[in-house]
Amino acid sequence: ATLLCRTVTMDSSGGAREISREEFDRRFADICDALGYNPNEKGRPLRIVGLGAGAWGSVFIAMLQQMYGEFSKEVDIRIWRRPNKVVDVSALRKLMTVINEDETTLRRLRNDSVYLKYVSARLGDRTLTADEVLSDGFCLNLPDLPLCPLKVITELDEAVYDADIIINSLPSTETRSVFEKVGRVFAHTRGDLHPFPVIVSLSKGVETKMTPHPHILTPTLIIHETTGVPLENCMYLGGPNIAAEIWRGEYATARLCGSSKKLRKPLSLFFRNDDFVVWTSSDTITHEVMGGLKNIYALGMGITTAVTNNSATSKAVYFSNAAAEMVFITRLLSERPDDLQGPLLADTYVTLLKGRNAWFGERIGSGLFHNSMGDYIPGKGLIQGVSAVHAFHDLLSHKDVEIFDRVTEKHVSPIEVLPTLCMLREYLLTGRDGDASSKSAEDLKQEMIQAGKTFIAKLKDASATDPARRLRTESLYLPMLTRLPGEDIVDERDDGDDDNASHGPKFTIDEE
């Protein structure tokens, strides 16, 4: 189940991330103190496990491997992915091109005596699985960018039973099913002598539930609910993080969010390197919600780009409407949320500019893709904004959710003042109620192009009223929208950001 590999501290395809022994000792002491981990008592390394092997999850674990690989006696870094996914011929062809054109990667595979298995697979003499190539440093979602070798685990029980830190990079749509299994493992392995791990989620998206009351579940809340891990141990890390660019060493920032100040600072420093700076915040809910919202509105930016032939003015109008709606929604879900600035704003910007959701939106807007294709694209993975559109629309149109509209001076459903979200849902439903197989490729293309033109026409109508006037953001907070059944909302105040930035208090959820 475990594919072991040699450890490295840096790779020519990534930025230099070596740290000194002195710096490691300081970071390690701080993280052990925060976790209550005594290496002498444990008799084993501190175990860090990544769950999920998409682009960002693989890059994040590979960065940690580069930073701490030479300290394997103190820190053990692994990544879990499902087994037995066979790498298809087209992916193998691309891999061989990348390998043969990159001298450093070619030499590494030759020295590790694994190059010939890629040749054999390319010739059709054997098969390779995704977990096997990941152990050699190849993520199928980043086929053009070799990573460093990784320790890969294919048995979930083995991966998590004694993990001290878990990095969740699963799509939000898969988080529940996987962590329900993790919860069953913890039920038999965790207790007073074996405390719960810290779980840092990279996942962006939400679940919506309509019973016993309408509410959302962010990934950290899903993890808490399915595993019993205390909320203070469930954290979120997000920012303007394009996986390939970060692996190449381009400068990036992120925020680590959680209610426990004791954990935030040492973990943020442990994840940090010269090119990847991690700040902190106590406002988990706003950052997680915005992580889902930006994927929604990135779809619309892609559609706008395609339909208006990349008009900067049209995209700016769309962005002003989208930003107003995102701020409005976060204020429904958090009483005093962080402002749309810093990594929160930067994450939104880069996702609308270059993320996979904007990429997908541009392709459906130009008719290259059709809604009937679904939201999973080989080589790109899950387009999370698609399910998020429907989730937020269902939540904010529920009959029990109302706000006071200052324009009409009436109590209305929030969805009535969110025209862009409504337009996106309508667009994504185009062609879903018919039989796409009975239409020609050209008919499918024109169907999406015409829907895109309708989208832009409605964008103009929505812009007739200044969104700043339409979407007043004071006194909006609806606590039930983030309240788990049987739990109360408690104000846990601290100074917010550990890096001296001012942020509002975080509202978290504690058990009764």
Side-chain angles (χ1 to χ4, degrees):
T2 305
L3 300 175
L4 299 179
C5 64
R6 65 186 181 88
T7 58
V8 296
T9 56
M10 64 180 297
D11 186 276
S12 63
S13 56
R17 300 184 178 96
E18 292 177 319
I19 64 172
S20 66
R21 163 56 74 171
E22 180 181 5
E23 174 65 14
F24 169 78
D25 288 342
R26 184 180 66 81
R27 292 186 181 193
F28 186 65
D30 288 346
I31 202 73
C32 288
D33 182 62
L35 296 174
Y37 173 87
N38 186 327
N40 294 325
E41 290 181 359
K42 292 288 186 180
R44 60 165 177 77
L46 180 78
R47 292 224 161 95
I48 302 174
V49 176
L51 298 187
W56 180 216
S58 297
V59 164
F60 193 85
I61 292 298
M63 282 200 304
L64 295 180
Q65 178 65 29
Q66 282 191 328
M67 293 164 64
Y68 301 114
E70 68 174 302
F71 308 108
S72 57
K73 291 183 178 180
E74 293 93 347
V75 179
D76 178 51
I77 299 167
R78 307 175 179 185
I79 186 169
W80 170 83
R81 70 153 296 135
R82 294 180 178 87
N84 304 324
K85 178 180 179 179
V86 176
V87 182
D88 62 38
V89 174
S90 62
L92 281 170
R93 187 180 300 116
K94 184 174 290 187
L95 272 181
M96 284 302 298
T97 300
V98 171
I99 291 168
N100 289 326
E101 290 180 352
D102 184 341
E103 182 177 332
T104 301
T105 300
L106 181 61
R107 197 176 296 276
R108 170 169 66 81
L109 295 179
R110 185 202 65 183
N111 292 345
D112 289 348
S113 301
V114 296
Y115 175 70
L116 289 180
K117 73 180 181 183
Y118 288 89
V119 175
S120 296
R122 175 65 183 85
L123 295 174
D125 295 334
R126 61 162 294 173
T127 60
L128 289 174
T129 59
D131 51 285
E132 191 173 3
V133 300
L134 183 61
S135 71
D136 294 326
F138 301 108
C139 171
L140 294 183
N141 287 355
L142 291 171
D144 299 325
L145 198 66
L147 308 178
C148 62
L150 299 172
K151 287 184 179 179
V152 179
I153 308 292
T154 57
E155 294 293 338
L156 185 61
D157 292 15
E158 180 185 356
V160 302
Y161 84 96
D162 64 348
D164 302 296
I165 299 173
I166 294 175
I167 309 297
N168 169 46
S169 66
L170 296 161
S172 59
T173 52
E174 297 181 21
T175 296
R176 176 174 295 279
S177 61
V178 173
F179 274 92
E180 284 175 345
K181 298 174 183 176
V182 172
R184 290 195 286 271
V185 176
F186 287 171
H188 297 289
T189 60
R190 303 291 171 150
D192 294 338
L193 297 179
H194 301 283
F196 284 112
V198 169
I199 302 179
V200 178
S201 180
L202 314 180
S203 181
K204 297 170 181 177
V206 299
E207 279 186 1
T208 53
K209 302 288 185 182
M210 300 304 157
T211 56
H213 61 268
H215 62 284
I216 66 165
L217 289 164
T218 61
T220 57
L221 291 177
I222 293 170
I223 292 167
H224 164 65
E225 183 183 58
T226 54
T227 64
V229 172
L231 269 174
E232 59 266 26
N233 282 32
C234 299
M235 311 182 79
Y236 169 74
L237 187 142
N241 304 322
I242 301 295
E245 295 181 356
I246 290 178
W247 180 251
R248 287 193 291 262
E250 297 181 27
Y251 185 72
T253 59
R255 271 206 183 113
L256 180 66
C257 306
S259 63
S260 172
K261 188 174 183 180
K262 178 183 177 182
L263 292 171
R264 286 197 307 261
K265 190 67 173 180
L267 274 168
S268 69
L269 292 175
F270 194 79
F271 296 149
R272 185 173 185 154
N273 60 59
D274 289 346
D275 297 320
F276 185 68
V277 176
V278 182
W279 302 338
T280 62
S281 172
S282 59
D283 185 7
T284 308
I285 187 68
T286 299
H287 286 78
E288 280 196 287
V289 168
M290 191 64 79
L293 289 175
K294 68 183 181 60
N295 289 334
I296 288 175
Y297 289 97
L299 292 169
M301 181 62 81
I303 296 167
T304 303
T305 299
V307 177
T308 66
N309 196 27
N310 200 26
S311 164
T313 301
S314 297
K315 291 195 295 183
V317 170
Y318 173 82
F319 179 75
S320 68
N321 287 16
E325 292 193 11
M326 285 189 282
V327 170
F328 179 86
I329 294 170
T330 59
R331 277 153 176 73
L332 288 173
L333 301 172
S334 182
E335 186 173 20
R336 287 185 287 273
D338 279 0
D339 293 330
L340 186 58
Q341 62 181 5
L344 201 59
L345 176 60
D347 193 14
T348 302
Y349 169 77
V350 77
T351 302
L352 269 62
L353 180 72
K354 197 176 179 180
R356 79 178 74 172
N357 290 276
W359 172 88
F360 182 78
E362 190 169 349
R363 275 150 184 78
I364 56 175
S366 60
L368 296 176
F369 290 173
H370 190 269
N371 285 331
S372 59
M373 294 173 59
D375 57 1
Y376 184 84
I377 306 299
K380 285 288 185 179
L382 184 69
I383 309 301
Q384 294 182 323
V386 175
S387 61
V389 166
H390 300 295
F392 274 99
H393 186 278
D394 291 347
L395 177 75
L396 299 176
S397 61
H398 192 278
K399 61 181 179 60
D400 292 336
V401 182
E402 286 189 339
I403 58 165
F404 184 76
D405 180 13
R406 295 180 181 275
V407 175
T408 62
E409 296 188 347
K410 296 179 180 178
H411 284 90
V412 300
S413 170
I415 201 66
E416 293 183 33
V417 298
L418 298 169
T420 308
L421 179 58
C422 292
M423 290 153 42
L424 283 166
R425 181 174 179 270
E426 182 180 342
Y427 185 92
L428 292 174
L429 291 175
T430 299
R432 295 297 295 269
D433 56 352
D435 183 7
S437 62
S438 65
K439 300 177 183 178
S440 69
E442 182 61 27
D443 286 343
L444 293 173
K445 179 177 181 179
Q446 291 304 318
E447 185 174 38
M448 299 307 295
I449 289 175
Q450 184 56 49
K453 292 178 180 178
T454 302
F455 179 90
I456 295 300
K458 291 185 176 181
L459 174 63
K460 293 178 181 179
D461 292 340
S463 303
T465 303
D466 184 352
R469 180 172 179 268
R470 184 178 70 247
L471 295 172
R472 302 293 181 88
T473 58
E474 65 269 19
S475 303
L476 288 175
Y477 179 46
L478 299 175
M480 74 169 177
L481 295 182
T482 52
R483 181 182 298 166
L484 295 176
E487 295 185 331
D488 289 330
I489 294 196
V490 178
D491 184 0
E492 289 191 352
R493 298 172 184 265
D494 65 18
D495 59 2
D497 194 316
D498 305 316
D499 300 298
N500 300 319
S502 177
H503 296 284
K506 163 73 172 65
F507 279 72
T508 59
I509 301 170
D510 283 349
E511 295 182 357
E512 288 185 323

